[in-house]
C-alpha cells in the first residue's frame, strides 16, 4: 500500500502554521540551524501538540514521515 505524498505546505497547515511560501521560508530562517543534538520534536519552538505530531509521524513511519524528514533537514541547514 502506498502512502499519500504530503506537500510541505500541507505539513505547515497540519502544524497550525502559516503555509504560504514566504511564511515557510521565514519560519525556517528564524529557527535554523537546529543543532544535531536536538531531535526535531524536542525543538523549543513547538507547542506540545506539534511536538507530539512530529514525533509520532517519524516514530510510526506514518505517511507524514517523508515531509517531516524534509522539514528536519531544512531546519538543520544554517
Amino acid at each position: 500500500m502506498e502512502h499519500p505524498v504530503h506537500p510541505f505546505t500541507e505539513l505547515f497547515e497540519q502544524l497550525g502554521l502559516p503555509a504560504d511560501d514566504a511564511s515557510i521560508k521565514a519560519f525556517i530562517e528564524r529557527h535554523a540551524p537546529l543543532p544535531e543534538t536536538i531531535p526535531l520534536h524536542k525543538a523549543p519552538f513547538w507547542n506540545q501538540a506539534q511536538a507530539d505530531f512530529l514525533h509520532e509521524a517519524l516514530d510510526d513511519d506514518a505517511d507524514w514521515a517523508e515531509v517531516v524528514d524534509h522539514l528536519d533537514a531544512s531546519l538543520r541547514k544554517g
Side-chain angles (χ1 to χ4, degrees), residues 18-39:
D20 59 279
D21 289 340
S23 295
I24 291 171
K25 183 178 180 192
F27 179 89
I28 291 169
E29 287 174 356
R30 184 170 49 253
H31 297 294
L34 182 63
E36 291 293 330
T37 56
I38 299 175

Side-chain angles (χ1 to χ4, degrees), residues 7-76:
F8 214 37
T9 54
E10 195 174 319
L11 174 60
F12 274 73
E13 290 171 358
Q14 183 70 22
L15 292 169
L17 299 170
D20 59 279
D21 289 340
S23 295
I24 291 171
K25 183 178 180 192
F27 179 89
I28 291 169
E29 287 174 356
R30 184 170 49 253
H31 297 294
L34 182 63
E36 291 293 330
T37 56
I38 299 175
L40 177 63
H41 70 281
K42 296 270 188 182
F45 45 82
W46 303 123
N47 66 35
Q48 191 61 53
Q50 292 167 327
D52 289 346
F53 173 80
L54 293 167
H55 186 255
E56 289 171 17
L58 294 175
D59 200 42
D60 297 344
D61 196 26
D63 57 328
W64 289 98
E66 186 175 336
V67 72
V68 171
D69 282 338
H70 180 121
L71 175 60
D72 189 23
S74 297
L75 287 167
R76 303 290 174 183

